Amino acid sequence: RQRQMCIRDRDGDFGRVRLIAHSPSVLARRLYYCVQSAGWHFCNDRYHIERETGNDNCLLLCTIGGRGVLEYGGSIYQLQPGSVALVAPGCPHSYRTPKGGQWEFYWLHFSGSGSEKFAEYIRQKNCGVLSGAVAEACRDNIQRILDLKIQRETDFETIASELIAVMLHQLVAVIPEEMADQNEAVAKVLEFIHSSYKGHIDLEMMAKAAFISRSHLVKLFEATTGYTPYEYLLKYRISRAKELLLSSRIPVGEIALAVGFSYAGNFVGTFKRMEGITPAKYRRQYHTM
């Protein structure tokens, strides 16, 4: 049974805050990604959090206005609007509003099987802070978690777990682009995939884009990104398909063709294998239009 929520919306010495706290059920603790707390802050420069021994759960910070400063993993990050940071459990860190400034952001404390591995993977790739569409998606998903809790959604724990899983996979999926600058050949292949994914692409075409052999490309690409070129192409196509599923009412068959699949059956099978659900079910669960 889902436990009673706690919602607070108040003004304080450091600014305005809206937050929820959640006590996960026994089932959720055993099987799900679990929300511990989440909220929204609009802070003045009195706001300063320091955790010398870290948290016992993961922390996601999505900046939407002003600027924050995060010290984590031996680095100092400037948290600008449109950025998202994922802090691993057990890692000393601090974050604050700069002197004389303001900072508006969403945050989410969560736990669950494997969540710390996602956070550590991102940290080890030197991508503790990411920006772009993934930050917007995380912001929207945290807001949805808040809304579900406020609305006393009976399936809150299940839906919240699914949303957290989506965010973690999206954060990992953008790492190849963030790492591209480390290798010019890989950067050229990524650029080729991003501009040509709607049409036919094979390994020979990708190798020609980078002016290297196919065997060299496979080794270099996997060493840099963690994926083979074909695996990344599929992930990128599925990522673009998810955007269309969430932002439009275009039929699934048309989306399949729009992102480079030759026929709908192949697209549906690939989507289910990679996401665990069919495109139609994904749309039903997450579509907000």
Side-chain angles (χ1 to χ4, degrees):
R1 181 182 175 184
Q2 184 173 308
R3 301 184 184 182
Q4 183 64 30
M5 64 181 170
C6 174
I7 303 173
R8 295 197 291 274
D9 194 352
R10 64 169 186 261
D11 295 339
D13 291 341
F14 58 79
R16 298 180 58 198
V17 59
R18 184 171 222 200
L19 64 88
I20 63 166
H22 180 71
S23 297
S25 65
V26 173
L27 177 64
R29 288 198 299 269
R30 288 177 56 192
L31 300 177
Y32 296 170
Y33 291 111
C34 299
V35 173
Q36 305 292 334
S37 63
W40 164 88
H41 272 333
F42 186 82
C43 301
N44 56 38
D45 60 3
R46 296 183 183 181
Y47 185 74
H48 190 149
I49 299 294
E50 185 164 359
R51 299 187 177 101
E52 294 183 354
T53 58
N55 267 325
D56 58 1
N57 49 51
C58 290
L59 168 64
L60 200 62
L61 296 169
C62 295
T63 299
I64 60 175
R67 182 167 62 92
V69 177
L70 169 67
E71 296 188 31
Y72 168 58
S75 298
I76 299 177
Y77 299 97
Q78 303 297 321
L79 303 182
Q80 305 285 357
S83 69
V84 58
L86 180 62
V87 178
C91 295
H93 64 273
S94 68
Y95 48 97
R96 65 185 186 277
T97 307
K99 187 175 181 179
Q102 294 180 321
W103 183 24
E104 184 179 5
F105 64 99
Y106 285 92
W107 91 93
L108 173 68
H109 283 285
F110 66 94
S111 59
S113 176
S115 57
E116 68 281 358
K117 294 181 180 178
F118 278 95
E120 278 300 327
Y121 179 77
I122 293 171
R123 180 188 179 198
Q124 289 169 9
K125 288 288 187 179
N126 297 318
C127 294
V129 177
L130 305 173
S131 60
V134 67
E136 297 178 8
C138 287
R139 175 203 64 197
D140 292 344
N141 283 331
I142 294 176
Q143 180 61 60
R144 187 171 182 203
I145 287 171
L146 293 173
D147 291 342
L148 290 169
K149 192 69 169 171
I150 292 168
Q151 295 163 8
R152 300 177 182 269
E153 170 62 52
T154 56
D155 291 330
F156 170 77
E157 290 186 328
T158 301
I159 299 173
S161 178
E162 292 173 344
L163 291 172
I164 291 170
V166 167
M167 287 188 280
L168 290 174
H169 285 90
Q170 287 176 335
L171 287 167
V172 169
V174 301
I175 285 178
E177 290 95 296
E178 298 293 326
M179 297 299 291
D181 289 342
Q182 293 187 9
N183 189 285
E184 184 178 355
V186 173
K188 288 179 178 178
V189 174
L190 289 172
E191 182 179 358
F192 175 71
I193 290 173
H194 296 170
S195 63
S196 308
Y197 71 94
K198 296 179 181 180
H200 172 72
I201 295 179
D202 58 30
L203 188 61
E204 181 67 29
M205 296 166 69
M206 288 187 264
K208 286 183 177 179
F211 303 104
I212 58 177
S213 69
R214 289 180 296 178
S215 59
H216 188 197
L217 169 61
V218 172
K219 293 178 181 178
L220 190 61
F221 196 95
E222 189 167 8
T224 304
T225 70
Y227 303 101
T228 68
Y230 184 67
E231 286 172 342
Y232 179 77
L233 173 62
L234 286 182
K235 287 180 68 67
Y236 192 78
R237 283 173 167 165
I238 293 300
S239 178
R240 300 286 76 77
K242 288 163 71 174
E243 292 176 1
L244 291 173
L245 288 166
L246 296 181
S247 63
S248 74
R249 299 187 183 279
I250 300 173
V252 169
E254 292 183 20
I255 289 177
L257 298 176
V259 298
F261 287 87
S262 56
Y263 61 96
N266 186 20
F267 168 62
V268 172
T270 302
F271 193 101
K272 187 174 182 180
R273 174 170 56 83
M274 296 179 67
E275 300 297 324
I277 57 176
T278 64
K281 186 175 181 181
Y282 179 86
R283 171 176 270 169
R284 288 196 300 270
Q285 287 184 346
Y286 302 117
H287 196 286
T288 58
M289 292 183 65

